Amino acid sequence: MHARATPAAATGKFSVPHLSWRFAAVWRRMFLVWQKLAVPSMLGNLADPMIYMLGFGYGLGKLLPEVGGVRYIVFLAAGTVCFSTMNSATFEALYSSFSRMHVQRSWDAMLNAPLALEDVVLGECAWSASKSFLSGLAILLVAAALGLLDSWLALWVLPLIPVIGFTFSALGLVVTALSPSFDFFMYYFTLFITPMAMLSGVFFPIDQLPAAIQTLSYVLPLTHATLLVRPLILGEIPANIALHLAVLIAYGAVAFYAALVLFRRRLLS
Amino acid sequence: MLSVRGLRKSYGAQEVLAGVDFSLRRGECFGLLGPNGAGKTTTLRLALGLISPDAGEISVLGEPVPARGREARMRIGVVPQMDNLDPDFTVVENLLVYGRYFGISDSVLRSRIPGLVEFAGLAGRAESPIATLSGGMKRRLTLARALVNDPDVVFMDEPTTGLDPQARHLIWERLRQLTGQGKTILLTTHFMEEAERLCKRLVIMDRGRIIAEGAPRDLVRHHIERHVLEVHGDGVEAWAERDGRRLASRIERAGDTIFCYTTDEAPLLASVEREPELRYLHRPANLEDVFLKLTGRELRD
């Protein structure tokens, strides 16, 4: 029984990912850890965005006439759902995933067991998306409790959050796959995440931006997230739903594949 | 059980494996010895199907690897060189979570875990967090974790590195228990004493090639003289030139010690006894002497 080795089939860097339900074992591992640390983890995820939303929403909001046709706190709540989902997914996919891969070597253990790298990366991505769901959901609940939501349409935000979370998890994993150390992540935040937050209609409407920058803004994934979430929070049906969803999913899918190729290069060569 | 033929692997211009062949028989402990950089860990990673060879064939438990590496890994246990237990979990949780990676149901795992905890000698520590375990305990737990899927073959990459003698002996005892149960073990180590005690057969690798192969005792018998005198002290150089070189069949220098290898030790012993300035150690030759003879004494970093 000495079959000729077929290298490309097993670990070719660019081969098509074979996704399977085996990733669930990876997800459950994260969930078990999270159950132990749920309270501090939730507080950390929630307190920050909440403070900014309430502080700016009410404080700054008092100085402003309506923004985008509504009270500023309502406008900001929609942005904060997206922003908080993105941040939570990004932090998990950068710092926590890197720690599991590089510091704790948990990935090595998984790969020695019969899990493929696809299973591990998909498990990480799904887990980051799950955590970000809690962050987005919490902002939504606070907004509801403050009476900022007028319409049941806002419930449609719930299935959107994991899509947004998955997109930013996958983007984060690309950075993790390239990163030599934790310090590297600062570049991603200062060069990509923070500028994007300013250009994607989280804190103020995109039409406040110069025309050229508005064009750039429509290339960014976070813009498409806010264009879906804000109308729903305001009780309207978003325009171009399919387009925005397609952009988010395309970013997520391409980033997932890119991350997988980079992880293969890093870990399996 | 496991066989590799003509295995080659290069990284850029560096040839890590330059044609390696060996095969394991059921129920034996087989050693893979070699200095750092000899290609031991690369061989293990290839046999697990984690990386692909440039040339050669690998078969593990009848599965062609890497093509069906995942299927092969279902029946392999791995004790990695670096501990990678989950620090967030207790002893039991580590076993449970790892077992799930094999797709084993929780009910089967729950019934298997007490025996594994017992095997690891951690019966009183089942609910302890990993951070509270000693190095030896962690190593034993890693070994128990490698058995969670009841594997047919267990890969061990330097399982006793960094352990004190007590902990090391306990690991050795466990490994013998495993081969006693019919499990096959592929062991990499650079402790010759460990290889000599545990391995039925072994290969010595250097620079990506196998340079010797056989049972430890046969290797010692075939490759080296029976006696070794390690001599040091003032005037050892002069003594070596005058008597050592003449009376020993072979001498080697390492720092200020002269190693004299001989089949007839009496004249050498008489000679060093006449030199009050010299100190010496007389001992039977062992696998380490074979290893150093074959791979040289210079450092491999």
Side-chain angles (χ1 to χ4, degrees):
Chain A
M1 288 285 290
H2 295 291
R4 185 80 203 157
T6 49
T11 52
K13 277 191 197 63
F14 296 101
S15 63
V16 179
H18 293 279
L19 302 182
S20 93
W21 282 104
R22 288 187 299 266
F23 85 88
V26 178
W27 189 93
R28 286 179 77 190
R29 179 238 169 249
M30 319 292 188
F31 183 63
L32 188 58
V33 178
W34 179 82
Q35 283 174 306
K36 298 179 172 228
L37 307 166
V39 172
S41 153
M42 298 255 274
L43 275 178
N45 272 329
L46 300 183
D48 230 35
M50 212 91 80
I51 290 164
Y52 278 101
M53 181 178 88
L54 298 177
F56 283 119
Y58 286 114
L60 198 58
K62 276 217 163 51
L63 305 172
L64 296 170
E66 292 191 334
V67 174
V70 292
R71 283 190 297 149
Y72 185 55
I73 181 78
V74 180
F75 181 92
L76 188 60
T80 306
V81 170
C82 299
F83 183 62
S84 178
T85 303
M86 171 181 77
N87 268 342
S88 167
T90 304
F91 266 100
E92 186 72 18
L94 296 185
Y95 291 92
S96 307
S97 296
F98 186 76
S99 167
R100 285 186 286 265
M101 171 187 71
H102 190 72
V103 183
Q104 301 180 8
R105 303 266 160 193
S106 309
W107 287 29
D108 289 353
M110 295 174 191
L111 294 171
N112 285 339
L115 291 177
L117 190 57
E118 280 95 325
D119 304 325
V120 177
V121 177
L122 183 58
E124 288 279 351
C125 211
W127 173 249
S128 301
S130 306
K131 261 190 98 169
S132 72
F133 177 73
L134 288 179
S135 300
L137 174 68
I139 303 292
L140 205 61
L141 289 176
V142 171
L146 294 172
L148 306 179
L149 309 179
D150 299 327
S151 156
W152 290 108
L153 273 178
L155 283 178
W156 281 104
V157 174
L158 291 178
L160 271 178
I161 297 174
V163 177
I164 299 166
F166 192 92
T167 300
F168 286 103
S169 301
L171 285 166
L173 285 172
V174 173
V175 181
T176 299
L178 291 169
S179 183
S181 72
F182 286 104
D183 300 324
F184 187 77
F185 298 142
M186 212 52 214
Y187 294 114
Y188 183 60
F189 277 101
T190 48
L191 296 177
F192 185 66
I193 293 288
T194 310
M196 183 165 56
M198 291 301 148
L199 301 177
S200 296
V202 170
F203 303 107
F204 52 86
I206 292 167
D207 52 28
Q208 297 296 311
L209 295 165
I213 296 184
Q214 283 189 39
T215 313
L216 168 68
S217 143
Y218 283 104
V219 181
L220 300 171
L222 188 59
T223 302
H224 297 273
T226 57
L227 287 173
L228 285 170
V229 169
R230 182 161 290 124
L232 291 170
I233 297 238
L234 303 181
E236 300 156 13
I237 294 173
N240 305 317
I241 295 176
L243 170 74
H244 299 313
L245 265 180
V247 171
L248 285 172
I249 291 169
Y251 262 106
V254 171
F256 180 84
Y257 177 68
L260 183 61
V261 170
L262 291 167
F263 280 126
R264 280 173 180 158
R265 191 186 67 169
R266 179 176 185 138
L267 301 170
L268 301 183
S269 64
Chain B
M1 291 303 294
L2 182 153
S3 74
V4 305
R5 300 239 178 290
L7 212 49
R8 288 178 177 275
K9 180 76 180 172
S10 298
Y11 290 104
Q14 199 200 352
E15 196 170 40
V16 181
L17 293 179
V20 167
D21 303 75
F22 63 85
S23 59
L24 272 62
R25 296 175 197 143
R26 183 176 296 275
E28 76 176 344
C29 178
F30 185 90
L32 216 52
L33 275 59
N36 288 334
K40 304 185 297 287
T41 300
T42 302
T43 305
L44 289 189
R45 283 169 64 78
L46 283 164
L48 283 168
L50 297 178
I51 51 177
S52 301
D54 299 335
E57 290 164 12
I58 309 164
S59 158
V60 182
L61 300 162
E63 303 284 1
V65 172
R68 285 176 56 84
R70 222 187 60 74
E71 287 78 3
R73 292 203 298 280
M74 288 296 286
R75 294 156 62 199
I76 303 176
V78 180
V79 178
Q81 201 175 107
M82 269 191 281
D83 266 322
N84 55 20
L85 294 166
D86 244 312
D88 299 306
F89 293 143
T90 65
V91 167
V92 164
E93 285 167 340
N94 260 285
L95 297 170
L96 178 71
V97 168
Y98 199 72
R100 285 174 180 166
Y101 297 156
F102 289 81
I104 305 170
S105 74
D106 280 15
S107 59
V108 170
L109 288 169
R110 297 263 180 223
S111 66
R112 223 173 253 183
I113 283 172
L116 293 170
V117 172
E118 185 76 30
F119 181 83
L122 293 171
R125 308 294 296 265
E127 303 301 328
S128 297
I130 296 307
T132 65
L133 303 184
S134 70
M137 290 172 171
K138 284 184 197 166
R139 220 57 206 150
R140 265 146 42 210
L141 179 57
T142 305
L143 177 57
R145 188 185 68 173
L147 304 174
V148 77
N149 56 327
D150 192 20
D152 297 315
V153 54
V154 184
F155 291 6
M156 308 213 179
D157 200 359
E158 300 182 12
T160 62
T161 300
L163 296 186
D164 62 24
Q166 286 84 353
R168 183 173 297 162
H169 277 268
L170 192 48
I171 294 276
W172 288 344
E173 187 207 307
R174 290 297 189 258
L175 297 195
R176 280 197 210 97
Q177 232 171 300
L178 289 179
T179 47
Q181 292 165 16
K183 305 228 184 273
T184 309
I185 295 177
L186 179 57
L187 173 79
T188 83
T189 182
H190 36 226
F191 291 119
M192 298 304 127
E193 191 197 346
E194 179 164 293
E196 226 164 353
R197 278 170 191 243
L198 297 176
C199 296
K200 198 161 175 203
R201 294 187 307 135
L202 56 86
V203 293
I204 298 178
M205 292 178 69
D206 195 22
R207 301 179 207 281
R209 284 191 170 78
I210 289 176
I211 54 172
E213 178 167 9
R217 204 168 301 166
D218 295 341
L219 285 170
V220 174
R221 198 179 307 141
H222 290 144
H223 286 276
I224 204 124
E225 300 77 3
R226 272 178 37 227
H227 297 273
V228 186
L229 240 71
E230 297 180 18
V231 188
H232 62 109
D234 288 341
V236 69
E237 288 290 334
W239 172 83
E241 289 308 316
R242 193 181 64 244
D243 277 0
R245 200 174 281 287
R246 182 169 55 84
L247 298 171
S249 43
R250 201 161 55 81
I251 69 171
E252 279 181 21
R253 271 190 190 78
D256 25 3
T257 302
I258 305 283
F259 288 75
C260 304
Y261 295 91
T262 182
T263 44
D264 178 16
E265 75 282 19
L268 264 176
L269 283 169
S271 164
V272 284
E273 282 292 348
R274 284 195 298 273
E275 308 284 333
E277 297 293 304
L278 295 183
R279 275 169 296 163
Y280 70 94
L281 170 71
H282 172 217
R283 58 174 175 79
N286 58 31
L287 195 58
E288 186 146 316
D289 298 304
V290 177
F291 185 86
L292 289 169
K293 180 184 174 190
L294 296 177
T295 62
R297 287 186 182 270
E298 75 272 27
L299 290 177
R300 309 291 177 84
D301 296 316

